[in-house]
Structure formats: C-alpha cells, structure tokens
Amino acid sequence: MTAAGTDVETMTFAEAIRAALTEAMEADERVFVLGEDIGVYGGAFGVTTGMLDRFGEERIRDTPIAEEAIMGAAVGAALCGMRPVAEMQFSDFTAHAMDQLVNRAVSVPLVVRLPFGSGTGAAAQHSQSQEAWYAHTPGLKVVMPSNPADAKGLLHSAIRDPNPVVFMEHKVLYRSASGPVPAGDAGIPLGVAAVPREGGHLTIVATGIMVSRALAAAEELAAQGIEATVVDPRTLKPLDDATILERVRATGRVLLVQEAPRSGGFMAEIAARITESDTIFYLLAPIRRLSGLDAPIPYNPDLEKASVPQVPDIVQAGRTLVRES
C-alpha cells in the first residue's frame, strides 16, 4: 500500500526483492533471472511470483536442479553482455557451483541471490550462514540487507555493478520483515553502512537478521540505562570501515553479532580491523563476539533456536560488556 502524498510503499522483504527485480528488468532488457522453480512455482520463497507471466520464459528461466549449470550459464551470459540474476534455492547449494563462482566469475556483471540462515526448521543442509566463504574470495562483492528498503536499494546497485555480487537474503526476513520502501530505483551504494540507532555506552555491529535482534536488544538495554549504537554494515565487501571504527571509538566498547559459527566468521575480520587501527586505543573493554555455535544447525526447533544468538543473548552480552568495564 502506498502512503498518500508520498513515494513510499509498505512492503515485505520478499516483495521488495521482487520490486527491484521487476524494475531492473523493465529498465534494462539485458537483465534476466534464472534458477530452480522460479517460474511457474514463483520460487521456493515466493520471491518471483507472477514474474513469469509478466516477462515470459526468455527472461524468467526455470532451470534443472543443477547448481553448477545455473552458475555456469550465468557466467557465460554475463561474458556475452547480459546481466543475469541467478537464484540458488538455498545458499548451501552454492557448494555445487563454487568452481564457477570462485574461479570463473571474474570481472563479470552478475548477481547471485542466496536465501540463507536458520529459523525455518530446514536442518543443517539448508540453514547455514556462509558469508565468510564468499567474502574470502577476491573479486566477489558480498551484500547482506537486513530490511526491505535496503534489500530493494542494494539489489538495484548490485545488478548495475560491473562485478559479481553475492546477494544474501535471510529466509526468515522474507515474510517477517516489512516496512516503508522508496518507490522506483532508489539505489543504495555498495560499501556504505547504516546506523539505525545511536547510543553512548556500547556499539553493536550486526548483520542480516541479527540487526533487528540487535535493535530489539538495544531497546531492552535502554530500559536498563545502557544506550547502544547499532551498526549494520549492509555490505561485507566492500566494508565501510570508517563508519564502524568511528562508532566504536565513540563508545569504547563493541559487541560483534553474527548468526554464523564463531570460528572463521566474518566478525573476526571486523575485530581484526579494529585492532589494526588506532581504534584499539579507544577501547574500554576487550572486543566481544557473539556467534552461532560451532555446530551444524539442528532440525529440532528448540535446538535450532538455541544454536544462534537471540535477543536475550545480545542483551546479556551487552550488559556484561558495559558493567564489567
């Protein structure tokens, strides 16, 4: 629904992704989408619902269950001047296409959309957070929006980018997240972090679904007299070091929150950048990381929830960090 007198529409996360794809395809005939079940079925999470009727089989291309072929076709199309948007049905399945993505997709304009993360009871093979894999690969850009407006704006920028972009979409956000989204092509530059909340006692850096949990935790901390800044990097590569370091220097304390397992996680990279800069001299306490367990995501709903940070975990970690320093 569009608010009267504004250019803003309330959308879910999935609707914002669909809007960006639709607008990009209407503006540029080189843009097309390919992936498993994205046509008649509308995608595993309904993101491409209705797009087959609008754009036809030439531009909404259902593919076999063959991730290496999907990625290879996307790379080849990009080399021939097209702007492909490839959907992996689950980010975990990209393992089948890593040679094409890591070794073949060099300096080509393509986007790989990856539904990822826990919270849907899909077990370990469909629920991983693998952003560190992609961020470790030179030449790949990695985007992880946390809300509908950012999802739409960042996807527009990703499709226009001349480099391969891994676009990570948390599965729970598709329907649970909704909010105001600017109409039209309101692109958000890659490499610019957002600061949705400012506070003076603590900086929380979070990604993906952890951003909304960090904001909820910040509200609870505020009721306890602890004001937290929340930083959402939005893109992991390129990373907006300046915004993160500025906010950490301002509060002297930093809590880094990710859904992915602790060992080798991307937040370790942010921690390293903090310690390698003069920001380390502003710290009033050691850097704290809050991560998922170093274990496969369980199928059982209660165990699944216990395996990744929840709002109470962030509240406790933030309170401890402030009160013990």
Side-chain angles (χ1 to χ4, degrees):
M1 162 172 90
T2 302
T6 72
D7 293 323
V8 174
E9 184 176 353
T10 298
M11 295 183 182
T12 65
F13 195 93
E15 289 169 342
I17 296 289
R18 186 187 309 129
L21 291 172
T22 299
E23 290 168 1
M25 293 178 70
E26 288 175 341
D28 188 343
E29 63 182 10
R30 298 174 300 171
V31 179
F32 72 100
V33 183
L34 70 162
E36 300 165 10
D37 295 326
I38 65 165
V40 174
Y41 188 59
F45 301 98
V47 173
T48 52
T49 298
M51 294 187 69
L52 178 64
D53 293 337
R54 185 163 189 165
F55 295 103
E57 294 180 352
E58 288 295 310
R59 300 184 70 191
I60 302 294
R61 288 183 169 264
D62 269 322
T63 68
I65 303 174
E67 285 76 14
E68 185 175 6
I70 296 169
M71 195 69 70
V75 173
L79 287 169
C80 292
M82 302 296 286
R83 294 267 173 169
V85 179
E87 178 185 307
M88 297 285 111
Q89 198 166 78
F90 293 87
S91 70
D92 316 66
F93 300 170
T94 312
H96 295 286
M98 287 299 274
D99 179 56
Q100 299 289 354
L101 178 60
V102 172
N103 295 323
R104 313 299 175 195
V106 179
S107 298
V108 292
L110 69 86
V111 175
V112 185
R113 292 182 43 245
L114 301 182
F116 81 101
S118 66
T120 60
Q125 299 80 12
H126 304 76
S127 305
Q128 298 174 79
S129 299
Q130 302 152 317
E131 61 269 18
W133 286 10
Y134 315 116
H136 191 65
T137 301
L140 292 183
K141 295 187 176 182
V142 183
V143 179
M144 189 185 291
S146 66
N147 60 74
D150 285 355
K152 183 183 179 188
L154 290 167
L155 185 53
H156 267 299
S157 295
I159 292 172
R160 282 195 293 266
D161 200 282
N163 302 285
V165 179
V166 174
F167 199 88
M168 305 195 68
E169 305 164 10
H170 199 286
K171 303 193 299 291
V172 171
L173 292 176
Y174 280 134
R175 293 180 177 83
S176 69
S178 63
V181 177
D185 182 356
I188 297 172
L190 306 187
V192 179
V195 185
R197 183 185 176 98
E198 298 272 11
H201 297 117
L202 166 71
T203 296
I204 303 174
V205 183
T207 53
I209 198 170
M210 291 299 152
V211 176
S212 57
R213 293 179 188 174
L215 289 169
E219 290 291 332
E220 294 191 27
L221 287 168
Q224 302 173 31
I226 299 172
E227 294 293 342
T229 289
V230 176
V231 179
D232 175 5
R234 300 197 290 195
T235 60
L236 308 187
K237 281 180 67 182
L239 182 66
D240 184 358
D241 292 44
T243 296
I244 295 171
L245 298 180
E246 177 187 6
R247 294 318 193 275
V248 174
R249 286 195 295 268
T251 64
R253 303 176 184 90
V254 60
L255 174 62
L256 307 175
V257 186
Q258 65 182 28
E259 179 171 345
R262 179 182 179 88
S263 297
F266 187 79
M267 285 301 172
E269 173 66 23
I270 294 181
R273 296 191 187 198
I274 293 170
T275 60
E276 290 170 354
S277 72
D278 67 350
T279 305
I280 190 172
F281 300 113
Y282 291 79
L283 294 180
L284 303 174
I287 298 168
R288 176 78 180 271
R289 284 185 290 157
L290 183 61
S291 308
L293 299 180
D294 281 341
I297 298 292
Y299 174 71
N300 176 276
D302 292 333
L303 294 178
E304 179 185 35
K305 187 175 181 179
S307 70
V308 299
Q310 305 295 328
V311 173
D313 303 313
I314 302 173
V315 171
Q316 180 179 351
R319 182 173 58 239
T320 300
L321 184 57
V322 171
R323 293 184 175 173
E324 292 186 357
S325 61

